[in-house]
Amino acid sequence: MDDLTISLIQANLVWENADENRTAFTHKIAAITQKTDLILLPEMFSTGFSINAAALAETMDGKTVQWMAATAKQKDAVIAGSLMIKEAGKYYNRLIWMCPDGSYETYDKRHLFGMGEEDKTFTAGVDRLIVTLNGWKICPMICYDLRFPVWSRNTAPYYDVLLYTANWPQKRIHHWEILLPARAVENQCYVIGLNRWGTDGNDMYHNGSSMVINPDSEMLWKGKDAEDAITITLSAADLALKRRQFPFLKDADGFKLV
């Protein structure tokens, strides 16, 4: 497989205003000048981490999904990020993996944040998603999923990149900074953690600290305490080398989620 180029946009989100957020991300994405394979946006990038789903949730043919499709086509890159979706009378914190040809795949957040009453509004997902991009297997997850290593364990079908899109507050950022490298080491993969920045409508401050981490837990990039962005290339050769040198995944305990 070839190297993989990923663009991360660590952005401030306008509280509960999808129109303004789409406009802001249009400008930020237009500023990406080098060729990229994937553009990653924060969790609930159109609204911020709100539970006001009755007023804010969109459908899969709504404005934000249409915007993702148009933007992916224009940039010739996958666009991924989560937003509130209403479907069959239920609400989901749904990551959409939008391809340039307009096809897409979805992942519904498995672990809902009870302290923020997310579980009282949204329905938890039941299935993991592993997508293929340029020969890479990628497992996208959402924020609170990071705390649950069994759910993200690198079992068959194995993945090469584990990514988290998040609204992770500064008051618990130390956990974020510990757990992301741990996931890289235990799953022998690249880990991408994209957090938002700024203060949300609940007066919760987020200081960014987005990260790109290699399988040895080495920090390849860390976002500033500000709006920040990067386009970075992941080395397929380096990943293959590390897996050859220390092939421990084959010795992992087997288990089944129930």
Side-chain angles (χ1 to χ4, degrees):
M1 63 189 182
D2 296 327
D3 291 347
L4 184 72
T5 301
I6 299 178
S7 299
L8 285 73
I9 302 178
Q10 177 180 286
N12 193 11
L13 304 177
V14 182
W15 186 247
E16 297 187 345
N17 193 321
D19 289 339
E20 288 195 26
N21 285 312
R22 285 192 300 268
T23 297
F25 278 114
T26 295
H27 294 307
K28 294 177 191 301
I29 291 170
I32 300 171
T33 56
Q34 76 182 86
K35 180 69 175 93
T36 189
D37 301 306
L38 168 64
I39 300 170
L40 187 61
L41 308 180
E43 177 186 22
M44 289 196 184
F45 69 87
S46 61
T47 59
F49 187 73
S50 167
I51 58 171
N52 189 14
L56 300 172
E58 302 185 38
T59 62
M60 289 300 295
D61 59 357
K63 289 183 179 179
T64 300
V65 176
Q66 291 180 23
W67 172 86
M68 293 179 77
T71 306
K73 180 178 181 180
Q74 180 184 31
K75 295 297 288 186
D76 190 27
V78 171
I79 305 273
S82 90
L83 64 151
M84 301 183 201
I85 291 291
K86 182 178 181 179
E87 188 173 78
K90 296 180 179 179
Y91 300 112
Y92 299 91
N93 183 347
R94 177 170 291 176
L95 181 140
I96 298 172
W97 182 271
M98 180 63 69
C99 299
D101 65 1
S103 64
Y104 60 82
E105 297 189 67
T106 64
Y107 166 71
D108 294 331
K109 188 177 182 180
R110 166 76 167 187
H111 298 94
L112 302 176
F113 187 53
M115 287 179 61
E117 298 188 344
E118 186 181 17
D119 59 328
K120 294 182 179 179
T121 300
F122 296 91
T123 297
V126 296
D127 296 315
R128 288 201 323 183
L129 173 67
I130 296 180
V131 292
T132 301
L133 180 60
N134 292 2
W136 292 68
K137 299 291 186 181
I138 302 172
C139 182
M141 295 197 172
I142 303 174
C143 201
Y144 196 43
D145 287 331
L146 176 60
R147 290 189 178 273
F148 304 94
V150 172
W151 183 241
S152 60
R153 188 67 174 144
N154 200 356
T155 56
Y158 295 99
Y159 57 75
D160 306 303
V161 180
L162 180 61
L163 64 84
Y164 297 91
T165 180
N167 275 224
W168 199 286
Q170 183 188 37
K171 65 189 297 184
R172 290 184 290 274
I173 203 67
H174 182 56
H175 299 173
W176 169 264
E177 293 172 341
I178 290 173
L179 293 174
L180 286 171
R183 298 291 165 268
V185 172
E186 69 194 11
N187 295 302
Q188 203 166 50
C189 67
Y190 285 98
V191 167
I192 310 294
L194 176 64
N195 196 19
R196 69 155 292 174
W197 178 79
T199 303
D200 68 17
N202 295 316
D203 202 31
M204 187 71 70
Y205 183 67
H206 306 74
N207 66 324
S209 293
S210 300
M211 300 183 196
V212 178
I213 303 165
N214 78 5
D216 276 342
S217 80
E218 296 169 341
M219 190 82 61
L220 304 182
W221 176 77
K222 185 175 184 180
K224 297 177 289 189
D225 187 353
E227 287 200 314
D228 206 354
I230 192 173
T231 296
I232 189 168
T233 298
L234 309 184
S235 169
D238 189 56
L239 175 62
L241 176 63
K242 287 177 170 55
R243 287 178 169 176
R244 285 197 307 269
Q245 289 175 331
F246 191 30
F248 67 81
L249 287 177
K250 65 181 178 62
D251 298 322
D253 299 307
F255 63 88
K256 182 178 180 181
L257 289 170
V258 293

